[in-house]
Amino acid sequence: MTQVPCYTIINSPDLEVPNEMQLKQDLEKGDTNVKIDTLKKVIKLLLNGERYPGLIMTIIRFVLPVQNHTIKKLLLIFWEIVPKTSSDGKLLQEMILVCDAYRKDLQHPNEFLRGSTLRFLCKLKEPELLEPLMPAIRACLDHRHSYVRRNAVLAIFTIYKNFDWLVPDGPELIANFLDTQQDMSCKRNAFLMLLHADQERALNYLASCIDQVHTFGDILQLVIVELIYKVCHANPAERSRFIRCIYNLLNSSSNAVRYEAAGTLITLSLAPTAIKAAASCYIELIVKESDNNVKLIVLDRLIAMKENENMEKVMQELVMDVLRVLAAPDIEVRRKTLALAMDLVYSRNIGEMVLVLKKEVAKTHNVEHEDTGKYRQLLVRTLHTCSIKFPDVAGTVIPVLVEFLSDTNELAAADVLIFIREAIQKFPALRALIIEHLIEAFPQIKSSKIHRAAVWILGEYVEGGQILEVIAAIQQTLGEIPMVDAEQRRLAGEQTDEEKQQQQQQSSNATNNAEATPTSNASNKVTSDGTYATQSAFSLAPVAKKEKRPPLLQYLMDGDFFIGAALSATLTKLALRYAEIHPDGQSQNRLTTQVMLIMSSILHLGKSGFPTKPITNDDTDRIFICLRTLSERTPEAVAVFISYCREALGKMLDAQHDEDQRVLKEKQRAAAKVQPDDPVLFAQLSNGRDNQLGENVFESSLNQALAGSKTAQLSDIASPNNKLNKVTQLTGFSDPVYAEAYVNVNQYDIVLDVLIVNQTNDTLQNCTLELATLGDLKLVERPHPVVLAPHDFCNIKANVKVSSTENGIIFGNIVYDTALTTNVVVLNTIHIDIMDYIIPASCTDTEFRQMWQDFEWENKVTVNTSFTDLHEYLKHLLKSTNMKCLTPEKALSGQCGFMAANMYAKSIFGENALANLSIEKPVDDPDSKVTGHIRIRAKSQGMALSLGDKISSSQKQTVQAV
């Protein structure tokens, strides 16, 4: 059974259903304002499923003759939605009177009335109503006003499309009309009709004016682009005839036309000139368009072009043009631009790209914006990738990046150190340069974490004469040794050695500038009337000024002794390495005692009570190990400090590289996947279309529309098996009305296709599907009532809007009338699965920790499962939650009795979900079950609870299955 066509949807809150007699009285005897209000009320009631067949004649008699424009507009909506046929499918007799009224409106002197009536006729599906109006519609083609003419063309187009026998000469009529028109909107509508109704005539018209296409309005140019695309895909031999026209449209004044022309050009031709022209057009659009959404959409088109191997080589030459997009202030646009540029850059233009990125780094120094820190971090990561991918530029990048170490943004500085750590390990030739810049920047670093990492790098890679430089830099940032004595003097108000030196420098500077400056004695204060004013002096207590200490000492005074332990390990490495280079025992002992004094001073300070927190036992043990290693020099301990640390870093970097290569191979393998039943293409037997033309726009646009669903493959979406998996039975087989629903989850809405079967021998009147929702779901419109004959069936569709990632429930009932009573059948509930909205995603460890710290909602789920293998349980968890494991495989490999892993996923609404798995089982008992817990964190409560429920339900299913 087909549904009643309806084009106009008016949202209305819950209405009180009024008496039909009252409505009739208001329409009959009320003034114009009352009639307007009543008509609005009737329209809303009709849209909510009410039926008032008795009102039609009242409206024809008392409302239709009124010449008020508002009433005329409302009547157009009313006649659009009111049922125009009786129960047996025949047209109502009253509609003849309505038809006559609209024939008069089509001849009305007011052009607005004529035009709006013509627009209304586009929506009519009853040929009996349209046939008497055809002469009046044709006459409107010659009206003086363009508004009437363009709507007359649309009316003829829709009538010809639905009932071509009513206007058999439609294409010829419109083709003649097109030749005589000057108004762009009229030409556009006429050309649109020819495009769909008679392409040959449309092509003849385009061929006659192809040189003037660039002078047409944008609305007509868009239709011309559509025609050229359709014709060239249907008949590739026509490409040479029209491709120059597409090239010309790339220079159109309208951005929409340029975007469509560029998209059409790359589907018609894969020639390098065409690809370059289209890509340049896209880049120009991004740079000139101010709307960020448009920038992101066009950037996605460029990224899609880059995925095509034939286009990627051509686009590599446009890297510098792509980098112009960095002028946009939006961080998401910049992130995508840098990723695209990084994928396209190659050895010839890497130098130019690095220069541009250096300029961008310089621009961020004095700009305070909420996204400046994130942008600096992006630039650092991009330069990092450039240097690892192209080692030749690393030497020019390092000095720029080292400046970030003194930055207040700790994230950017941490990324710089990660880069320096990788570069210093992979490029031995650059070590001296890196160490030199790192020593220069060391005193300016402002963060404990950054200092700690910098100290480790210096201790691991410094060689030769630079060892003494590093120790001197460390002593400078630590201050006077022993530290406890210096603190006692500072507390007693005495000057430390450092303060004395600073004071001497200041006094010497002051004597150079100290010319005799006149000193003024205090004078009496005299008021304006000549009397003396008395002054009162208040003595204020001195404000305790915060002592300014060297940075490393300040960290220790704040209770951060982890930096002290790291410093001790670094000093130990430096002393051992110095001993290898200098065989002179005296210089060795001098350096070793100097280093041991610093370590013992840190220990003494930690126990002294001066810092805000005392030193921890762990840090104390680590410093004692360093002292013992220096004093005893056992070969095993020396080997750990000298070589094992560097080897461990090398292994970690190799593991990261292997993981990146594995991910890259998986992507390439997925792209090259061919199904066994795919047809084999023979070049000799093909008609020449397959290789000449690019992607199918229809296919790609359909894929984009289905992008929110779990699988975006057209074959999977359309397959019957996929649909059967999502069918939910709503009533029992023995119920008088059987119902089942196919639940189709799209990105932001759910479509319920409900099959209703009448299993009785009675006719069911007003059979209505009533639905309600729980959670962040909202029913868009109420389904219309239907009439079901005995053993008949029908399909009813209902749309549900989704606004966040939460488990939702749809419930309701079916109400129907028989000859005697009204009956209700309660429906089974439909559970909307959160997994339809969650997709696996990846992030760095730093980002994961930051989000874990920021997100306030946590849900802890206890593991209760029949699994006896830790790895199998992790696989099951990842499969049931759609999450991605961030912990590398090598870190999880092996059997040790416990496992800890981080997992991450993202919803299509942009919400993040984090999970930490901590599980264990006894190694000596292979039959014991996995125990532990999973902690889930999310920004919203619903996300955390829904994921927890999903994990719990999947665990129950496995236990029940066993």
Side-chain angles (χ1 to χ4, degrees):
M1 179 180 171
T2 57
Q3 290 188 356
V4 179
C6 177
Y7 294 84
T8 306
I9 296 177
I10 299 172
N11 181 35
S12 58
D14 297 333
L15 290 171
E16 292 182 12
V17 180
N19 187 353
E20 189 174 344
M21 289 303 297
Q22 181 64 42
L23 290 173
K24 280 187 179 180
Q25 192 173 353
D26 290 342
L27 291 170
E28 262 182 61
K29 299 179 180 176
D31 59 9
T32 305
N33 292 331
V34 172
K35 286 182 179 179
I36 288 171
D37 291 339
T38 310
L39 202 51
K40 285 180 181 177
K41 199 179 291 182
V42 169
I43 289 168
K44 288 176 181 177
L45 289 166
L46 284 173
L47 285 170
N48 278 337
E50 302 297 333
R51 291 289 174 265
Y52 295 108
L55 286 180
I56 293 180
M57 203 61 213
T58 307
I59 288 173
I60 290 172
R61 287 178 58 199
F62 298 103
V63 184
L64 201 57
V66 178
Q67 292 302 311
N68 182 279
H69 279 203
T70 307
I71 286 182
K72 290 281 185 190
K73 287 182 192 175
L74 290 170
L75 282 173
L76 292 176
I77 298 172
F78 174 78
W79 293 121
E80 180 190 340
I81 63 173
V82 76
K84 301 170 192 67
T85 54
S86 57
S87 55
D88 58 359
K90 291 183 179 178
L91 193 71
L92 294 172
Q93 295 296 321
E94 295 93 330
M95 296 311 293
I96 304 298
L97 299 170
V98 178
C99 184
D100 185 58
Y102 280 118
R103 189 176 54 78
K104 290 176 183 172
D105 280 348
L106 287 174
Q107 296 165 346
H108 199 280
N110 185 307
E111 61 270 8
F112 171 75
L113 269 181
R114 279 201 188 198
S116 55
T117 306
L118 285 164
R119 286 181 73 84
F120 159 70
L121 295 178
C122 294
K123 301 173 184 179
L124 283 186
K125 301 291 182 188
E126 290 77 23
E128 301 94 329
L129 286 175
L130 293 168
E131 192 172 7
L133 302 174
M134 287 314 300
I137 295 171
R138 283 170 173 265
C140 287
L141 285 174
D142 301 322
H143 193 271
R144 60 182 174 77
H145 203 283
S146 62
Y147 178 69
V148 177
R149 294 200 303 276
R150 70 169 177 258
N151 282 310
V153 174
L154 276 182
I156 290 174
F157 175 29
T158 50
I159 291 167
Y160 181 81
K161 190 167 64 174
N162 296 325
F163 318 105
D164 56 350
W165 50 271
L166 285 177
V167 51
D169 60 338
E172 184 184 352
L173 180 70
I174 296 302
N176 295 333
F177 170 82
L178 184 59
D179 290 332
T180 61
Q181 280 304 305
Q182 296 301 319
D183 182 75
M184 277 303 156
S185 59
C186 296
K187 288 174 88 168
R188 180 258 180 196
N189 287 359
F191 193 79
L192 185 66
M193 175 176 171
L194 291 181
L195 164 64
H196 292 283
D198 192 343
Q199 276 193 11
E200 194 58 40
R201 290 180 191 272
L203 282 174
N204 291 338
Y205 174 76
L206 180 57
S208 67
C209 60
I210 199 160
D211 294 329
Q212 287 89 40
V213 166
H214 64 278
T215 63
F216 292 167
D218 56 349
I219 53 174
L220 182 54
Q221 286 177 341
L222 283 170
V223 184
I224 288 172
V225 170
E226 185 184 350
L227 170 71
I228 292 172
Y229 166 74
K230 285 192 172 181
V231 169
C232 292
H233 261 269
N235 185 9
E238 296 281 354
R239 286 186 312 148
S240 57
R241 186 178 168 194
F242 295 113
I243 205 159
R244 183 166 294 281
C245 179
I246 290 289
Y247 269 108
N248 292 336
L249 288 174
L250 288 177
N251 300 317
S252 169
S253 58
S254 165
N255 287 345
V257 174
R258 295 175 70 194
Y259 176 76
E260 292 296 336
T264 303
L265 181 61
I266 55 176
T267 64
L268 299 184
S269 172
L270 292 177
T273 49
I275 295 166
K276 196 168 183 179
S280 301
C281 179
Y282 281 144
I283 293 166
E284 203 67 31
L285 282 174
I286 300 169
V287 172
K288 290 187 176 176
E289 186 61 47
S290 57
D291 189 349
N292 280 333
N293 293 322
V294 175
K295 287 179 189 284
L296 289 169
I297 289 167
V298 183
L299 259 175
D300 285 339
R301 289 294 301 163
L302 279 173
I303 292 166
M305 283 176 69
K306 184 260 304 175
E307 300 295 335
N308 188 320
E309 291 178 7
N310 299 321
M311 298 185 188
E312 187 176 10
K313 291 176 183 175
V314 181
M315 289 180 68
Q316 284 179 343
E317 299 171 16
L318 299 171
V319 170
M320 302 313 294
D321 292 327
V322 169
L323 289 174
R324 289 165 56 203
V325 180
L326 291 176
D330 185 65
I331 190 70
E332 196 59 38
V333 174
R334 286 170 162 176
R335 181 180 285 113
K336 283 195 172 186
T337 305
L338 286 172
L340 176 62
M342 204 57 244
D343 289 339
L344 292 176
V345 73
Y346 66 120
S347 54
R348 287 186 187 175
N349 52 21
I350 181 65
E352 296 175 30
M353 178 171 166
V354 167
L355 285 174
V356 172
L357 293 178
K358 282 182 180 178
K359 287 178 183 174
E360 288 296 316
V361 167
K363 284 180 193 173
T364 61
H365 278 311
N366 299 320
V367 179
E368 285 306 322
H369 187 265
E370 58 179 342
D371 287 332
T372 304
K374 291 180 184 174
Y375 184 43
R376 283 186 200 169
Q377 206 176 346
L378 274 179
L379 289 170
V380 168
R381 287 183 184 175
T382 309
L383 285 167
H384 173 183
T385 315
C386 287
S387 303
I388 301 302
K389 201 173 176 183
F390 304 96
D392 296 343
V393 299
T396 58
V397 168
I398 286 162
V400 179
L401 290 186
V402 169
E403 292 177 14
F404 276 94
L405 291 178
S406 58
D407 198 75
T408 50
N409 181 10
E410 191 178 281
L411 294 174
D415 281 340
V416 171
L417 277 174
I418 289 168
F419 159 65
I420 287 175
R421 187 182 67 185
E422 188 171 352
I424 207 167
Q425 172 72 12
K426 289 190 174 179
F427 312 131
L430 294 173
R431 282 179 187 169
L433 175 72
I434 294 172
I435 294 294
E436 184 186 337
H437 284 287
L438 202 53
I439 293 170
E440 284 177 17
F442 192 77
Q444 278 80 43
I445 297 174
K446 299 181 174 67
S447 163
S448 164
K449 193 185 290 184
I450 308 304
H451 252 129
R452 197 167 66 228
V455 158
W456 188 92
I457 292 170
L458 287 172
E460 199 59 54
Y461 292 97
V462 167
E463 292 172 354
Q466 288 180 319
I467 291 177
L468 295 175
E469 285 183 47
V470 172
I471 292 177
I474 289 173
Q475 280 188 319
Q476 183 190 343
T477 48
L478 262 178
E480 189 183 338
I481 304 292
M483 289 178 259
V484 175
D485 295 347
E487 283 302 312
Q488 284 175 339
R489 285 205 297 276
R490 193 177 275 119
L491 198 64
E494 299 175 18
Q495 288 183 328
T496 60
D497 295 344
E498 278 189 355
E499 289 170 350
K500 286 176 183 175
Q501 287 176 3
Q502 288 176 3
Q503 192 173 5
Q504 285 172 6
Q505 286 178 357
Q506 288 171 1
S507 61
S508 64
N509 292 337
T511 52
N512 294 333
N513 302 324
E515 294 297 326
T517 52
T519 55
S520 59
N521 293 324
S523 58
N524 291 328
K525 301 291 179 188
V526 183
T527 59
S528 56
D529 60 352
T531 57
Y532 290 100
T534 57
Q535 289 181 309
S536 301
F538 293 94
S539 58
L540 296 173
V543 179
K545 193 173 83 173
K546 191 177 179 182
E547 293 288 349
K548 190 177 179 183
R549 298 183 177 92
L552 289 180
L553 179 59
Q554 187 61 54
Y555 304 146
L556 297 173
M557 292 300 292
D558 292 338
D560 181 7
F561 279 92
F562 188 29
I563 181 82
L567 198 60
S568 301
T570 295
L571 290 169
T572 306
K573 289 176 189 175
L574 292 173
L576 293 172
R577 209 161 274 133
Y578 186 82
E580 285 182 351
I581 300 167
H582 295 84
D584 178 22
Q586 189 176 358
S587 58
Q588 279 185 27
N589 290 339
R590 188 186 302 117
L591 185 73
T592 306
T593 51
Q594 186 181 349
V595 163
M596 292 175 84
L597 175 64
I598 294 172
M599 290 189 227
S600 56
S601 180
I602 293 171
L603 278 173
H604 190 195
L605 181 69
K607 306 279 187 183
S608 66
F610 285 120
T612 52
K613 297 178 201 166
I615 189 169
T616 61
N617 292 335
D618 184 42
D619 294 331
T620 305
D621 291 345
R622 291 185 66 181
I623 296 173
F624 270 127
I625 289 169
C626 294
L627 287 166
R628 190 171 177 182
T629 304
L630 282 175
S631 60
E632 296 179 2
R633 307 279 175 101
T634 55
E636 295 84 1
V638 170
V640 170
F641 280 96
I642 295 282
S643 55
Y644 287 1
C645 294
R646 194 178 301 187
E647 286 174 16
L649 174 64
K651 287 177 183 174
M652 187 191 82
L653 292 176
D654 290 342
Q656 281 181 357
H657 180 71
D658 293 344
E659 182 72 15
D660 293 341
Q661 291 299 317
R662 187 183 64 79
V663 171
L664 198 63
K665 278 183 184 175
E666 279 182 4
K667 281 183 182 175
Q668 289 172 348
R669 203 179 303 142
K673 189 169 67 174
V674 178
Q675 295 299 333
D677 57 346
D678 281 357
V680 179
L681 296 176
F682 295 97
Q684 291 82 355
L685 301 178
S686 69
N687 57 8
R689 299 180 194 177
D690 302 310
N691 299 324
Q692 291 176 8
L693 301 180
E695 63 175 335
N696 185 330
V697 169
F698 170 75
E699 183 100 358
S700 63
S701 60
L702 197 52
N703 274 326
Q704 285 174 359
L706 296 168
S709 48
K710 217 170 185 179
T711 168
Q713 291 293 327
L714 274 178
S715 56
D716 296 343
I717 295 289
S719 69
N721 293 337
N722 189 288
K723 285 192 170 186
L724 289 172
N725 291 337
K726 295 189 175 182
V727 170
T728 306
Q729 186 177 337
L730 300 180
T731 62
F733 291 115
S734 59
D735 283 321
V737 176
Y738 172 75
E740 65 182 26
Y742 162 58
V743 183
N744 185 17
V745 178
N746 297 317
Q747 189 157 358
Y748 293 109
D749 69 330
I750 299 165
V751 179
L752 297 180
D753 190 350
V754 184
L755 170 70
I756 297 177
V757 182
N758 178 7
Q759 300 193 110
T760 66
N761 295 321
D762 301 324
T763 299
L764 307 183
Q765 300 283 345
N766 293 328
C767 184
T768 309
L769 176 68
E770 295 182 343
L771 297 173
T773 57
L774 196 65
D776 270 351
L777 304 174
K778 186 180 178 185
L779 198 65
V780 175
E781 58 180 323
R782 188 172 141 194
H784 288 282
V786 293
V787 177
L788 283 178
H791 302 288
D792 193 6
F793 66 91
C794 73
N795 282 75
I796 296 177
K797 288 189 178 179
N799 289 319
V800 178
K801 184 175 168 50
V802 186
S803 54
S804 74
T805 316
E806 282 187 37
N807 286 333
I809 296 174
I810 302 172
F811 57 95
N813 48 47
I814 294 175
V815 182
Y816 60 91
D817 298 335
T818 57
L820 301 172
T821 58
T822 299
N823 301 285
V824 178
V825 178
V826 178
L827 302 178
N828 188 15
T829 55
I830 302 172
H831 292 268
I832 304 303
D833 193 355
I834 185 178
M835 290 304 108
D836 288 316
Y837 302 106
I838 288 182
I839 49 176
S842 58
C843 66
T844 63
D845 288 345
T846 313
E847 290 168 344
F848 185 91
R849 288 194 200 98
Q850 189 62 42
M851 286 190 283
W852 189 269
Q853 187 178 336
D854 294 343
F855 291 171
E856 52 192 14
W857 291 103
E858 180 174 310
N859 188 7
K860 190 172 180 180
V861 180
T862 304
V863 174
N864 175 24
T865 181
S866 57
F867 281 97
T868 56
D869 185 83
L870 300 175
H871 294 87
E872 289 299 320
Y873 181 75
L874 176 62
K875 284 179 189 173
H876 164 73
L877 191 66
L878 294 175
K879 187 179 177 183
S880 60
T881 58
N882 268 9
M883 300 187 92
K884 182 178 179 180
C885 182
L886 299 180
T887 309
E889 272 188 45
K890 289 195 176 181
L892 297 172
S893 59
Q895 294 288 347
C896 60
F898 65 88
M899 178 188 285
N902 291 335
M903 296 174 290
Y904 177 58
K906 216 170 187 178
S907 77
I908 56 175
F909 304 103
E911 298 167 306
N912 297 299
L914 312 175
N916 174 258
L917 172 72
S918 297
I919 49 177
E920 61 179 348
K921 64 162 282 184
V923 183
D924 52 356
D925 184 6
D927 296 328
S928 62
K929 294 176 182 175
V930 173
T931 58
H933 58 264
I934 303 152
R935 290 166 68 198
I936 303 160
R937 283 204 181 180
K939 203 165 191 177
S940 63
Q941 184 185 17
M943 182 88 160
L945 291 176
S946 301
L947 257 180
D949 292 344
K950 181 66 186 174
I951 292 170
S952 300
S953 63
S954 68
Q955 289 187 151
K956 282 178 188 172
Q957 287 169 5
T958 55
V959 171
Q960 287 168 1
V962 171

